[in-house]
C-alpha cells in the first residue's frame, strides 16, 4: 500500500488518522451489511417459497397416487358404502398437514368424513370446492370466511388460518352401468390394465392446514437465514480490513491537507502516494514546498522588520500581504482538488456532468412556477481553423477568453435560478471541445433568453489578441426553452444542439430558437433569406425603432438611436443578427443603409414639422458603406428631405476606424464638411490603438455596454470606465454610456462625470409614434432621475 513519508511532527496525529479511517470503513461496512442482509432476506424468502410449493405439490401428488389403482375405493364409491368409505379415508390421514378427508358422491352428497372432529368450520360443499372446474379435473382451492383466496406461499402468510381443499375425482375402472358388479370385477379390470371409463363415481376432498405446512417450512427458512447471516458476518471482517486499507490513503491526504492549512508541517515533510493518488500527492507536495518556503521567508523578513520597525514599516506591510497571498494560494489549492471531478480544467467552468445535474435541479424547481427556463448551446464555428493555424496553445487561450466573456456577459438577473444557491459562473458550462452551454432560469419570456444570446454574440465577436494575432470568433447559438420544447434536461440540450447546427448555416455570429417545423423541415436557408430581404423594402416589411439618449442633468431626450427591424409575414420578427451580416456579404447593405438613413431623416423632419423637438437622430453605418459614393448619396438624402446635416449622427465602430488611415481620414473629413455629427460606437470593445482618437474628427465617444455592465460592482469594469472617461476628458470629447440597465450603474456613471446615457433603465427601443409621445413631454425623465437620486441619498447613510 502507498504510505505517507514521516516528518518530525508526523506522530502527533496517528489517533486522529485511525479514527477517521475507522469511521469511513465503518460506514462502508454498515452499508455492506445492510445490503447483504437484504440479499440474505430475499434468498431466504425465495427458498421458503420454493419449499412451500414443493411440499404442497408433494401432498397433491401423494393424494392422487392414493386414489389411483384402488379397486376397493372405487367399489366403495360404486356401492356408496359409507362404512367402507369411512375406513378407507383413514389412509389419507398419513400426515399432520391433512386435517380432514371427505368423500362426496357424484351428486355432491357427503358420504363419509374422517379427521378433525373439533373443527369449528363445517366442511364446505362440493360445489364450493369444485367451483369452476370440470368433472375430470383435480382441483386445489383455498377458502376462508370471505370466499376464495390464493393457494401460493404469500397468500398463506396473509391468511395462515385458512385451509386448502384438494378434490380428486374417482373414476370407475369398469362400466358402472353393468348390473351386479362385485369387488372382483373392479380388481380384475385393474389387473388386466383395462383403461378406466370416463364415469366419475365421486370425489375425495382433503383439507390441508396451511399453518402446519408453514411451520414445517419455517425451520428450513430459519436455518438458511441464520446460516446466511453467519456467512455475512464472517465476510464482513475481511471486507472491513480491506476497506480500511483502501481508504487509508484518502484519510492521510485529508489530514495532510488540514495540517497544510494550519501550518503544522515541517520542511522535510513529503507525501509518497502512488497509483490513483499520485496526481493529488504531487499537487500537495508542491503546495507544501511552496508554502513552507514562503512561510520561512516571510518569518525571516518579519523578524528583521521587528528589529527595524520604525525605518521599515512599509516593507513589513508588504510581507504581510505576501502571507495573505500564500494563504489564499493554499485555499485555492484545496478548492482545486475538490473541483477536479466536476469542472473543466482549462476554463474552470462546470463540465457536462455537473451542468446536466444542475439543469435537472433547475427544471424540477421551475415546475412549480410558470416562468420558462432556457438552455443556450454555443459553438465556435471557426475554432478548428484557428486551432490548426496557430496551434493548440493558442486554441486553449482562445477557449479561455471565450469562457471569460460568456461569464462576463451574464448579469445577476440571468443567474441559473433565483432561489438556488449556486456559485458564480455555474450557469455557464463547457460541454467539451469548442461547445459551451448556458442555463437561464425564471425568465419573464423567451425574449429575455434572446437578449442574453444577442449579448453573448456581441461580446464574442469583439476582436481579441492571441499570441499577437488579432482574431474574431464566429459564435453559433441554439436556444431551447422549457416547458415549451421539453422538460427533460437531455432532450432540452438535444433541441438546443439542433438549433445550433441550424444556425451554422447562417453567415456570421448568430443564434436561433428551436422550432419543430423550422428545424425538422427544410426551412429558410440563406438564399431564401436573401431573396426575402431583397423584397422587404418594397413590401414595407422594414421599420425603425428608436432608443432615447437621455441628458441626466435635465431629464430631456437629446438624441434617439435608430435600430433596424424586419417583420416578415412567415418568419415573424427576424433578428438583426440573422440578416445584417448577410446583407453586408451580398451587397444589400447599401440599399438597407440608404433606406435606414432616409427613413430616420424623414422621421426627424416629421417631428420638427409637428412641433416636436429632437436634437439629433443617430444611425450606425457598416464598414461596407465606407466609400466615396456614400458621401455623395448622403448629401442627396439630406437635400431631398431638407434636413440640416447637424441633426444627423453617424455611428462609427472601432473596426471601421482601423482601416487605411489616409483613406479613413479623407472619408471622415468629407462627412464633417457636410456638417454630420460623428460618434465612435462601442469604444474599447475592439482593442484598437488609441492613437487614432486624436487624428480623426470625432464629436463623441460611446462607452460599450460590456464595460458599463456592473461597473458599480466589478472593479475591473469600473477601472476601464474611469480610464475611458479620463481619456475622453483629456481629448475634450463628450462621453455617452450605452446599455445602462441598473440604478447602481447610473449612479456610478453620474458620479464620474457621464451626463448622457442610453439603456433599458430609461427605455427599450420604441416605435416612432411612442417616441413622439415621449418627446411631447419636455424633461420626460426628470422625475425618474430625481427619484433615483433620492434613493441614492437615503441609501448612503445606511451604507456608512
Amino acid at each position: 500500500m502507498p504510505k505517507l513519508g514521516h516528518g518530525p511532527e508526523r506522530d502527533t496525529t496517528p489517533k486522529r488518522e485511525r479514527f477517521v479511517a475507522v469511521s469511513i470503513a465503518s460506514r462502508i461496512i454498515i452499508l455492506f451489511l445492510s445490503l447483504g442482509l437484504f440479499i440474505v432476506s430475499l434468498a431466504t424468502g425465495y427458498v421458503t417459497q420454493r419449499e412451500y410449493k414443493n411440499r404442497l405439490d408433494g401432498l397433491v401428488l401423494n393424494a392422487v397416487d392414493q386414489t389411483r389403482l384402488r379397486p376397493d375405493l372405487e367399489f366403495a364409491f360404486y356401492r356408496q358404502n359409507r362404512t367402507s368409505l369411512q375406513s378407507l379415508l383413514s389412509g389419507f390421514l398419513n400426515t399432520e398437514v391433512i386435517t380432514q378427508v371427505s368423500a362426496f358422491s357424484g351428486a355432491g352428497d357427503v358420504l363419509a368424513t374422517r379427521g378433525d372432529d373439533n373443527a369449528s368450520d363445517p366442511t364446505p360443499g362440493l360445489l364450493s370446492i369444485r367451483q369452476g372446474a370440470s368433472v375430470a379435473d383435480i382441483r386445489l382451492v383455498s377458502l376462508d370466511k370471505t370466499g376464495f383466496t390464493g393457494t401460493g406461499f404469500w397468500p398463506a402468510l396473509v391468511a395462515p388460518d385458512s385451509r386448502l381443499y384438494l378434490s380428486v375425482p374417482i373414476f370407475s375402472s369398469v362400466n358402472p352401468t353393468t348390473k351386479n358388479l362385485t369387488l372382483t370385477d373392479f380388481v380384475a379390470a385393474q389387473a388386466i390394465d383395462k383403461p378406466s371409463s370416463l364415469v366419475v363415481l365421486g370425489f375425495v376432498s382433503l383439507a390441508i392446514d396451511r399453518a402446519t405446512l408453514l411451520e414445517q417450512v419455517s425451520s428450513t427458512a430459519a436455518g438458511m437465514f441464520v446460516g446466511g447471516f453467519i456467512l455475512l458476518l464472517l465476510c464482513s471482517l475481511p471486507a472491513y480490513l480491506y476497506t480500511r486499507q483502501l481508504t487509508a490513503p484518502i484519510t492521510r491526504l485529508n489530514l495532510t491537507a488540514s495540517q497544510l492549512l494550519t501550518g503544522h508541517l515541517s520542511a522535510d515533510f513529503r507525501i509518497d502516494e502512488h497509483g490513483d493518488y499520485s496526481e493529488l500527492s504531487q499537487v500537495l507536495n508542491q503546495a507544501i514546498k511552496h508554502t513552507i518556503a514562503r512561510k520561512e521567508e516571510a518569518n525571516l523578513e518579519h523578524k528583521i522588520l521587528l528589529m527595524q520597525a520604525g525605518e521599515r514599516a512599509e516593507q513589513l506591510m508588504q510581507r504581510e500581504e505576501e502571507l495573505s497571498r500564500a494563504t489564499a494560494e493554499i485555499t485555492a489549492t484545496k478548492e482545486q482538488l475538490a473541483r477536479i471531478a466536476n469542472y473543466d480544467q482549462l476554463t474552470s467552468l462546470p463540465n457536462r456532468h455537473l451542468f446536466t445535474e444542475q439543469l435537472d435541479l433547475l427544471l424540477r424547481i421551475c415546475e412549480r412556477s410558470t416562468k420558462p427556463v432556457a438552455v443556450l448551446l454555443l459553438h465556435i464555428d471557426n475554432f478548428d481553423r484557428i486551432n490548426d493555424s496557430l496551434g493548440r496553445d493558442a486554441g486553449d487561450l482562445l477557449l479561455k477568453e471565450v469562457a471569460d466573456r460568456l461569464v462576463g456577459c451574464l448579469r445577476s438577473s440571468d443567474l441559473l435560478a433565483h432561489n438556488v444557491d449556486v456559485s458564480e459562473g455555474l450557469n455557464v458550462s463547457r460541454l467539451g471541445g469548442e461547445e459551451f452551454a448556458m442555463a437561464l432560469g425564471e425568465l419573464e419570456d423567451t425574449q429575455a433568453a434572446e437578449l442574453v444570446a444577442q449579448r453573448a454574440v456581441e461580446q464574442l465577436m469583439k476582436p481579441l489578441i492571441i499570441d499577437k494575432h488579432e482574431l474574431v470568433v464566429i459564435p453559433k447559438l441554439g436556444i431551447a426553452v422549457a416547458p415549451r420544447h421539453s422538460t427533460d434536461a437531455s432532450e432540452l440540450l438535444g433541441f438546443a444542439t439542433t438549433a445550433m447546427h441550424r444556425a451554422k448555416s447562417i453567415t456570421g455570429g448568430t443564434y436561433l430558437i428551436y422550432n419543430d417545423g423550422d428545424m425538422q423541415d427544410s426551412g429558410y436557408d440563406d438564399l431564401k433569406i436573401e431573396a426575402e430581404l431583397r423584397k422587404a423594402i418594397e413590401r414595407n416589411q422594414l421599420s425603425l425603432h428608436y432608443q432615447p439618449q437621455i441628458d441626466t442633468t435635465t431629464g430631456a431626450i437629446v438624441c434617439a438611436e435608430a435600430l433596424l427591424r424586419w417583420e416578415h409575414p412567415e418568419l415573424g420578427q427576424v433578428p438583426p443578427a440573422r440578416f445584417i451580416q448577410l446583407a453586408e456579404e451580398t451587397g444589400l447593405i447599401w440599399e438597407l443603409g440608404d433606406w435606414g438613413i432616409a427613413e430616420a431623416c424623414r422621421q426627424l423632419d416629421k417631428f420638427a414639422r409637428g412641433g416636436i423637438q429632437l436634437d439629433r437622430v443617430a444611425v450606425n453605418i457598416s464598414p461596407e458603406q465606407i466609400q466615396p459614393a456614400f458621401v455623395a448619396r448622403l448629401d442627396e438624402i439630406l437635400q431631398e428631405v431638407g434636413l440640416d446635416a447637424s441633426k444627423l449622427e453617424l455611428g462609427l465602430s472601432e473596426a471601421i476606424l482601423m482601416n487605411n488611415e489616409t483613406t479613413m481620414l479623407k472619408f471622415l473629413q468629407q462627412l464633417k464638411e457636410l456638417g454630420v455629427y460623428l460618434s465612435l460606437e462601442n469604444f474599447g470593445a475592439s482593442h484598437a490603438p488609441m492613437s487614432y482618437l486624436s487624428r480623426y474628427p470625432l464629436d463623441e465617444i460611446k462607452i460599450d455596454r460590456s464595460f458599463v455592465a456592473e461597473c458599480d460592482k466589478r472593479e475591473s469594469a469600473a477601472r476601464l470606465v474611469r480610464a475611458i472617461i479620463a481619456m475622453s476628458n483629456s481629448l475634450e470629447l463628450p462621453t455617452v454610456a450605452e446599455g445602462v440597465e441598473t440604478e447602481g450603474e447610473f449612479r456610478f456613471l453620474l458620479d464620474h462625470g457621464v451626463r448622457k446615457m442610453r439603456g433599458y433603465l430609461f427605455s427599450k427601443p420604441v416605435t416612432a409614434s411612442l417616441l413622439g409621445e415621449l418627446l411631447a413631454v419636455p424633461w420626460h425623465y426628470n422625475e425618474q432621475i430625481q427619484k433615483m437620486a433620492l434613493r441614492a441619498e437615503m441609501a448612503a447613510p445606511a451604507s456608512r
Side-chain angles (χ1 to χ4, degrees), residues 202-476:
F203 298 90
V204 173
S205 172
L206 286 76
I208 301 173
D209 186 20
R210 276 183 166 176
T212 304
L213 186 59
L214 287 175
E215 288 178 2
Q216 291 179 355
V217 300
S218 62
S219 59
T220 302
M224 181 174 179
F225 182 81
V226 171
F229 185 72
I230 294 174
L231 180 62
L232 184 63
L233 290 178
L234 293 176
C235 294
S236 63
L237 179 59
Y240 172 77
L241 297 176
Y242 184 67
T243 302
R244 282 198 59 183
Q245 189 179 23
L246 286 178
T247 57
I250 300 176
T251 304
R252 290 194 290 270
L253 289 175
N254 181 46
L255 292 176
T256 302
S258 300
Q259 291 179 327
L260 180 59
L261 284 177
T262 56
H264 290 161
L265 296 181
S266 60
D268 60 345
F269 186 89
R270 281 187 58 79
I271 301 173
D272 189 19
E273 294 290 348
H274 302 288
D276 295 337
Y277 305 98
S278 60
E279 183 178 350
L280 296 177
S281 301
Q282 293 174 5
V283 173
L284 281 176
N285 282 329
Q286 292 176 0
I288 293 170
K289 181 179 179 181
H290 181 70
T291 303
I292 293 177
R294 285 292 187 91
K295 185 176 180 181
E296 290 177 352
E297 179 184 353
N299 287 337
L300 179 61
E301 294 295 335
H302 186 66
K303 292 179 182 179
I304 297 175
L305 290 173
L306 287 177
M307 295 172 60
Q308 303 174 353
E311 300 178 1
R312 307 175 68 179
E314 184 176 355
Q315 294 182 14
L316 177 60
M317 293 178 61
Q318 293 176 355
R319 293 301 179 265
E320 289 177 351
E321 290 177 359
E322 289 183 5
L323 281 174
S324 299
R325 287 195 297 270
T327 303
E329 289 177 6
I330 296 172
T331 304
T333 300
K334 186 175 181 179
E335 292 176 353
Q336 178 185 0
L337 295 175
R339 292 167 63 92
I340 289 176
N342 290 313
Y343 289 83
D344 178 56
Q345 299 304 302
L346 178 63
T347 62
S348 297
L349 294 177
N351 56 22
R352 179 184 291 271
H353 171 72
L354 181 57
F355 181 80
T356 304
E357 285 186 351
Q358 293 294 334
L359 181 58
D360 281 331
L361 174 62
L362 174 59
L363 291 173
R364 289 196 300 270
I365 292 175
C366 290
E367 284 179 357
R368 297 191 293 267
S369 67
T370 59
K371 294 184 178 180
V373 176
V375 173
L376 284 67
L377 191 71
L378 180 142
H379 181 270
I380 306 302
D381 207 29
N382 57 340
F383 175 77
D384 289 338
R385 180 168 57 84
I386 295 174
N387 197 50
D388 294 340
S389 301
L390 302 182
R392 181 174 180 179
D393 292 341
D396 289 346
L397 293 175
L398 175 63
L399 292 175
K400 289 181 180 180
E401 180 64 24
V402 169
D404 292 341
R405 292 191 180 189
L406 285 177
V407 174
C409 77
L410 293 181
R411 301 187 178 178
S412 59
S413 60
D414 307 318
L415 285 178
L416 182 63
H418 300 299
N419 54 350
V420 179
D421 184 15
V422 295
S423 59
E424 182 179 358
L426 193 57
N427 51 326
V428 182
S429 171
R430 182 188 176 205
L431 301 185
E434 60 270 31
E435 285 190 355
F436 296 82
M438 293 180 283
L440 308 176
E442 305 231 346
L443 302 177
E444 294 298 331
D445 49 40
T446 56
Q447 291 183 353
E450 293 185 58
L451 179 63
V452 175
Q454 181 64 34
R455 187 188 306 162
V457 170
E458 293 175 357
Q459 290 294 323
L460 294 178
M461 291 194 69
K462 294 175 183 179
L464 51 90
I465 305 299
I466 301 293
D467 289 344
K468 300 181 180 180
H469 296 278
E470 182 176 297
L471 305 175
V472 176
V473 300
I474 303 175
K476 305 291 186 179

Side-chain angles (χ1 to χ4, degrees), residues 100 102 104 110 121-129 143 163 165 205 207:
Q100 190 178 63
S102 301
F104 293 90
V110 178
D121 297 333
T123 302
L126 182 63
L127 291 179
S128 298
I129 297 174
L143 295 176
R163 289 183 175 182
Y165 290 93
S205 172

Side-chain angles (χ1 to χ4, degrees), residues 676-744:
V676 176
Y677 191 89
L678 299 179
S679 64
L680 176 58
E681 295 283 335
N682 303 329
F683 178 72
S686 297
H687 307 287
M690 301 293 105
S691 58
Y692 64 80
L693 290 177
S694 61
R695 295 194 298 270
Y696 292 149
L698 300 173
D699 297 301
E700 185 177 81
I701 291 178
K702 295 183 179 180
I703 306 175
D704 185 65
R705 66 181 179 180
S706 64
F707 301 134
V708 173
E710 297 185 346
C711 61
D712 59 319
K713 299 178 181 179
R714 295 187 295 116
E715 181 58 28
S716 58
R719 287 197 299 267
L720 289 172
V721 172
R722 287 194 294 264
I724 294 173
I725 295 172
M727 184 173 58
S728 301
N729 292 338
S730 66
L731 296 172
E732 298 182 352
L733 292 176
T735 307
V736 177
E738 295 190 306
V740 182
E741 298 186 4
T742 68
E743 290 190 24

Side-chain angles (χ1 to χ4, degrees), residues 641-707:
V641 178
L643 185 70
D644 186 352
S646 62
K647 295 281 189 179
L648 177 63
E649 175 183 328
L650 293 182
L652 309 169
S653 67
E654 281 188 303
I656 294 177
L657 300 182
M658 291 165 61
N659 292 332
N660 183 276
E661 180 178 348
T662 303
T663 303
M664 196 66 217
L665 182 59
K666 181 179 178 181
F667 176 76
L668 295 180
Q669 287 174 345
Q670 290 175 344
L671 291 177
K672 291 303 296 182
E673 290 173 1
L674 288 179
V676 176
Y677 191 89
L678 299 179
S679 64
L680 176 58
E681 295 283 335
N682 303 329
F683 178 72
S686 297
H687 307 287
M690 301 293 105
S691 58
Y692 64 80
L693 290 177
S694 61
R695 295 194 298 270
Y696 292 149
L698 300 173
D699 297 301
E700 185 177 81
I701 291 178
K702 295 183 179 180
I703 306 175
D704 185 65
R705 66 181 179 180
S706 64
F707 301 134

